[in-house]
Amino acid sequence: MKIAPEITYRNLDKSQVIDKLVREKIAKLENICNYINSCHIAIEKSHDRPRSGSPYRVRIDLTVPPGHELVAEKNPGESIRYEPLDAVIRQTFDAMVHQLSKLTQMQRASEQYDRDEETRESTGFITKLFKEDGYGFLQALDGREIYFHKNSVLHEDFNQLKLGACVHFSQEEGEQGPQATTIQVVDKR
Protein backbone atom coordinates (compact mmCIF):
# COMPACT_ATOMS: atom_id res chain seq x y z
CA MET A 1 0.00 0.00 0.00
CA LYS A 2 1.18 3.49 -0.77
CA ILE A 3 -0.14 4.79 2.56
CA ALA A 4 -0.13 2.69 5.74
CA PRO A 5 -3.60 1.43 6.64
CA GLU A 6 -5.52 3.45 9.21
CA ILE A 7 -7.44 1.41 11.76
CA THR A 8 -9.77 3.28 14.09
CA TYR A 9 -11.46 1.78 17.14
CA ARG A 10 -14.50 3.62 18.49
CA ASN A 11 -16.09 2.87 21.85
CA LEU A 12 -14.05 -0.29 22.32
CA ASP A 13 -10.53 -1.19 23.28
CA LYS A 14 -8.04 -2.43 20.72
CA SER A 15 -7.09 -6.05 21.38
CA GLN A 16 -4.15 -7.96 19.97
CA VAL A 17 -6.42 -10.71 18.64
CA ILE A 18 -8.66 -8.30 16.73
CA ASP A 19 -5.71 -6.23 15.49
CA LYS A 20 -3.97 -9.40 14.23
CA LEU A 21 -7.14 -10.52 12.45
CA VAL A 22 -7.53 -7.12 10.77
CA ARG A 23 -3.89 -7.09 9.63
CA GLU A 24 -4.20 -10.62 8.20
CA LYS A 25 -7.27 -9.52 6.27
CA ILE A 26 -5.47 -6.40 4.99
CA ALA A 27 -2.63 -8.65 3.75
CA LYS A 28 -5.21 -10.71 1.85
CA LEU A 29 -6.49 -7.53 0.17
CA GLU A 30 -2.92 -6.63 -0.82
CA ASN A 31 -2.49 -10.08 -2.36
CA ILE A 32 -5.50 -9.42 -4.57
CA CYS A 33 -4.39 -5.90 -5.50
CA ASN A 34 -0.84 -4.73 -4.80
CA TYR A 35 -1.47 -1.13 -5.85
CA ILE A 36 -4.04 -0.01 -3.27
CA ASN A 37 -3.54 3.69 -2.50
CA SER A 38 -5.15 3.85 0.92
CA CYS A 39 -7.14 1.78 3.39
CA HIS A 40 -9.26 3.15 6.24
CA ILE A 41 -10.96 0.77 8.64
CA ALA A 42 -13.41 1.83 11.34
CA ILE A 43 -14.42 -0.67 14.01
CA GLU A 44 -17.16 0.61 16.25
CA LYS A 45 -19.26 -0.57 19.13
CA SER A 46 -22.47 1.40 18.87
CA HIS A 47 -24.30 -0.02 21.93
CA ASP A 48 -23.45 -2.16 24.91
CA ARG A 49 -26.83 -3.86 24.91
CA PRO A 50 -28.81 -3.28 21.74
CA ARG A 51 -32.44 -4.33 21.66
CA SER A 52 -31.81 -6.08 18.36
CA GLY A 53 -28.89 -6.70 16.04
CA SER A 54 -25.19 -6.71 16.82
CA PRO A 55 -23.53 -3.96 18.81
CA TYR A 56 -20.64 -3.87 16.30
CA ARG A 57 -20.21 -2.01 13.05
CA VAL A 58 -17.21 -2.32 10.68
CA ARG A 59 -16.49 -0.15 7.66
CA ILE A 60 -13.64 -0.43 5.14
CA ASP A 61 -12.80 2.36 2.69
CA LEU A 62 -10.22 1.66 -0.05
CA THR A 63 -8.89 3.80 -2.86
CA VAL A 64 -7.44 2.11 -5.93
CA PRO A 65 -5.92 3.88 -8.94
CA PRO A 66 -6.93 5.50 -11.17
CA GLY A 67 -9.66 6.86 -8.90
CA HIS A 68 -11.80 4.02 -7.61
CA GLU A 69 -13.27 4.21 -4.13
CA LEU A 70 -14.56 0.98 -2.65
CA VAL A 71 -16.61 0.74 0.54
CA ALA A 72 -17.70 -2.31 2.48
CA GLU A 73 -19.77 -1.93 5.61
CA LYS A 74 -21.31 -4.43 7.96
CA ASN A 75 -23.79 -3.51 10.64
CA PRO A 76 -25.69 -6.71 11.42
CA GLY A 77 -29.39 -6.05 11.56
CA GLU A 78 -32.21 -7.32 13.68
CA SER A 79 -32.03 -10.90 12.48
CA ILE A 80 -28.54 -11.50 13.89
CA ARG A 81 -28.34 -10.82 17.58
CA TYR A 82 -25.03 -10.25 19.33
CA GLU A 83 -22.86 -11.44 16.48
CA PRO A 84 -19.25 -11.50 17.72
CA LEU A 85 -16.88 -8.79 16.53
CA ASP A 86 -14.53 -11.18 14.72
CA ALA A 87 -17.45 -12.52 12.65
CA VAL A 88 -18.51 -8.98 11.69
CA ILE A 89 -14.90 -8.17 10.68
CA ARG A 90 -14.64 -11.32 8.56
CA GLN A 91 -17.95 -10.61 6.80
CA THR A 92 -16.93 -7.03 6.04
CA PHE A 93 -13.57 -8.08 4.64
CA ASP A 94 -15.25 -10.84 2.59
CA ALA A 95 -17.48 -8.19 1.01
CA MET A 96 -14.40 -6.04 0.25
CA VAL A 97 -12.52 -9.02 -1.20
CA HIS A 98 -15.43 -9.60 -3.57
CA GLN A 99 -15.49 -5.94 -4.70
CA LEU A 100 -11.71 -5.68 -5.04
CA SER A 101 -11.46 -8.96 -6.97
CA LYS A 102 -14.13 -7.80 -9.39
CA LEU A 103 -12.38 -4.43 -9.91
CA THR A 104 -8.93 -5.96 -10.50
CA GLN A 105 -10.39 -8.49 -12.96
CA MET A 106 -12.01 -5.66 -14.91
CA GLN A 107 -8.76 -3.67 -14.87
CA ARG A 108 -6.72 -6.65 -16.06
CA ALA A 109 -9.21 -7.33 -18.85
CA SER A 110 -8.98 -3.68 -19.89
CA GLU A 111 -5.16 -3.80 -19.86
CA GLN A 112 -5.21 -6.97 -21.98
CA TYR A 113 -7.57 -5.29 -24.44
CA ASP A 114 -5.23 -2.29 -24.60
CA ARG A 115 -2.22 -4.57 -25.25
CA ASP A 116 -4.15 -6.44 -27.94
CA GLU A 117 -5.18 -3.13 -29.50
CA GLU A 118 -1.56 -1.98 -29.43
CA THR A 119 -0.49 -5.18 -31.17
CA ARG A 120 -3.13 -4.75 -33.85
CA GLU A 121 -1.92 -1.23 -34.50
CA SER A 122 1.67 -2.45 -34.83
CA THR A 123 0.96 -5.15 -37.38
CA GLY A 124 0.99 -4.53 -41.09
CA PHE A 125 1.75 -5.82 -44.57
CA ILE A 126 4.45 -4.83 -47.04
CA THR A 127 2.76 -2.92 -49.87
CA LYS A 128 5.68 -1.32 -51.78
CA LEU A 129 9.33 -2.35 -52.03
CA PHE A 130 12.19 -0.47 -53.62
CA LYS A 131 15.00 -2.95 -52.93
CA GLU A 132 17.55 -1.18 -55.11
CA ASP A 133 16.99 2.06 -53.15
CA GLY A 134 16.76 0.32 -49.73
CA TYR A 135 13.29 1.34 -48.61
CA GLY A 136 9.64 0.46 -48.81
CA PHE A 137 6.17 1.06 -47.42
CA LEU A 138 3.89 -1.02 -45.28
CA GLN A 139 0.22 -0.68 -44.56
CA ALA A 140 -0.90 -0.86 -40.93
CA LEU A 141 -4.11 -2.70 -40.13
CA ASP A 142 -5.82 0.64 -39.59
CA GLY A 143 -5.01 1.59 -43.21
CA ARG A 144 -2.13 4.01 -42.62
CA GLU A 145 0.81 3.84 -45.02
CA ILE A 146 4.15 3.86 -43.21
CA TYR A 147 7.60 4.34 -44.69
CA PHE A 148 10.52 2.10 -43.66
CA HIS A 149 14.24 1.95 -44.45
CA LYS A 150 16.13 -1.32 -44.90
CA ASN A 151 18.09 -0.60 -41.69
CA SER A 152 14.87 -0.85 -39.67
CA VAL A 153 14.26 -4.47 -40.76
CA LEU A 154 15.50 -6.85 -38.07
CA HIS A 155 17.76 -9.85 -38.74
CA GLU A 156 18.89 -8.40 -42.07
CA ASP A 157 15.69 -9.72 -43.68
CA PHE A 158 15.24 -6.75 -46.04
CA ASN A 159 16.43 -8.68 -49.12
CA GLN A 160 14.03 -11.53 -48.32
CA LEU A 161 10.98 -9.24 -48.06
CA LYS A 162 8.18 -9.72 -50.55
CA LEU A 163 4.98 -7.82 -51.21
CA GLY A 164 2.22 -8.94 -48.86
CA ALA A 165 4.58 -10.16 -46.11
CA CYS A 166 3.12 -9.73 -42.63
CA VAL A 167 5.27 -7.69 -40.21
CA HIS A 168 5.22 -6.33 -36.67
CA PHE A 169 6.61 -2.83 -36.38
CA SER A 170 7.34 0.08 -34.09
CA GLN A 171 6.94 3.57 -35.43
CA GLU A 172 7.63 7.21 -34.78
CA GLU A 173 6.74 10.42 -36.51
CA GLY A 174 9.38 11.27 -39.11
CA GLU A 175 10.02 14.50 -41.01
CA GLN A 176 7.61 13.49 -43.78
CA GLY A 177 5.12 11.43 -41.77
CA PRO A 178 5.08 8.14 -39.87
CA GLN A 179 8.04 5.83 -40.31
CA ALA A 180 8.80 2.39 -38.94
CA THR A 181 11.77 2.27 -36.59
CA THR A 182 11.89 -1.52 -36.34
CA ILE A 183 10.27 -4.19 -38.47
CA GLN A 184 10.14 -7.86 -37.68
CA VAL A 185 8.98 -10.21 -40.38
CA VAL A 186 6.20 -12.52 -39.18
CA ASP A 187 5.31 -14.16 -42.49
CA LYS A 188 7.84 -14.05 -45.33
CA ARG A 189 5.26 -15.42 -47.84
Side-chain angles (χ1 to χ4, degrees), residues 10 40-44 46 56-62 70-77 83 87-97 99:
R10 295 183 188 131
H40 302 278
I41 300 165
I43 301 171
E44 179 179 12
S46 54
Y56 301 109
R57 179 175 160 245
V58 177
R59 179 182 168 109
I60 305 168
D61 292 276
L62 290 183
L70 303 177
V71 176
E73 185 173 20
K74 186 71 176 162
N75 189 7
E83 191 162 17
V88 178
I89 291 170
R90 282 179 173 58
Q91 292 169 3
T92 310
F93 272 94
D94 288 347
M96 182 55 75
V97 163
Q99 287 183 51

Side-chain angles (χ1 to χ4, degrees), residues 69-179:
E69 295 179 20
L70 303 177
V71 176
E73 185 173 20
K74 186 71 176 162
N75 189 7
E78 294 181 20
S79 62
I80 303 170
R81 191 169 175 116
Y82 297 107
E83 191 162 17
L85 178 56
D86 64 326
V88 178
I89 291 170
R90 282 179 173 58
Q91 292 169 3
T92 310
F93 272 94
D94 288 347
M96 182 55 75
V97 163
H98 179 73
Q99 287 183 51
L100 190 58
S101 296
K102 191 172 180 180
L103 175 64
T104 55
Q105 285 174 351
M106 287 179 4
Q107 287 179 328
R108 287 181 186 135
S110 176
E111 288 170 5
Q112 182 62 43
Y113 177 80
D114 291 345
R115 280 194 297 274
D116 291 348
E117 188 68 25
E118 211 172 88
T119 301
R120 277 194 288 276
E121 290 176 1
S122 63
T123 300
F125 298 93
I126 303 298
T127 56
K128 298 176 188 170
L129 270 176
F130 303 94
K131 287 190 179 183
E132 61 283 347
D133 296 322
Y135 72 95
F137 290 89
L138 63 89
Q139 183 175 358
L141 293 182
D142 63 6
R144 294 174 296 130
E145 185 174 73
I146 298 169
Y147 164 85
F148 67 92
H149 188 271
K150 72 178 182 179
N151 293 342
S152 62
V153 180
L154 299 177
H155 311 297
E156 299 179 10
D157 280 345
F158 181 77
N159 290 328
Q160 283 76 37
L161 281 179
K162 294 184 180 173
L163 293 178
C166 181
V167 296
H168 289 299
F169 64 94
S170 298
Q171 72 173 36
E172 64 183 19
E173 197 61 32
E175 291 178 15
Q176 297 179 352
Q179 67 181 43

